[in-house]
Amino acid sequence: MIRGEKVCLRPVRRSDLAILHERANEVDFEGEYNYFGLHRDQHLLSGFEADGLLGSEFGTLIVTTLNDQFIGSMSYHPVRYGPNIASSHYNIGISLDPEQRGKGYGVEAQQLLADYLFRIYPVGRVEATTDITNIPEQRALEKAGFTREGVLRQAQWRNGQMHDMVQYSKIRGE
């Protein structure tokens, strides 16, 4: 478990799968910026059985309060900017229950996950992207120590149209 001052990040437990499956199809939980359509039932089970959803190719962690109350989830996946392994980095994402947003939980969770990835994997950067209109998440990433790099024009298809995204990164040692 990764413990902060407000939140903890922990591996997915078998008992979490039901809530993750339920929330995956709830637009309110995913929010307008993370909803990409319906998921099939039990879509996480094979990944959980294979590696507990903590692989180097894709990982999911549960975000909880300090007393282990579920408040959301985070994920990470590799991105590559060249053919060699040293050009691999991680992109992170977060989904919080709507009533838990705006309390600083996302800021701390993103700091904790970036620090964890730098400790465990030989990557030079951790990045995150968010919709250009998602001002609360842009503020959260900046408070978490990420630097705004620029706009990725028409980079994401969501809700029937293309959206501009803002890219942020945190470099090892920052």
Side-chain angles (χ1 to χ4, degrees), residues 39-113:
H39 294 275
R40 64 181 170 78
D41 191 34
Q42 304 301 312
H43 67 283
L44 297 172
L45 185 58
S46 61
F48 181 80
E49 296 291 343
D51 61 14
L53 298 174
L54 278 179
S56 61
E57 288 299 308
F58 182 83
T60 299
L61 294 165
I62 300 298
V63 183
T64 70
T65 60
L66 297 179
N67 64 356
D68 203 35
Q69 173 194 348
F70 177 96
I71 59 172
S73 63
M74 294 199 72
S75 64
Y76 60 90
H77 66 273
V79 292
R80 187 174 272 191
Y81 295 101
N84 60 339
I85 193 71
S87 297
S88 294
H89 311 287
Y90 281 105
N91 184 287
I92 65 172
I94 188 168
S95 291
L96 293 177
D97 279 331
E99 64 272 6
Q100 304 301 338
R101 296 175 190 156
K103 298 179 179 181
Y105 295 153
V107 171
E108 185 174 68
Q110 291 173 119
Q111 288 171 328
L112 292 171
L113 182 54

Side-chain angles (χ1 to χ4, degrees), residues 112-126:
L112 292 171
L113 182 54
D115 292 346
Y116 169 78
L117 293 171
F118 284 133
R119 283 194 316 270
I120 301 303
Y121 298 105
V123 295
R125 72 186 264 130
V126 173

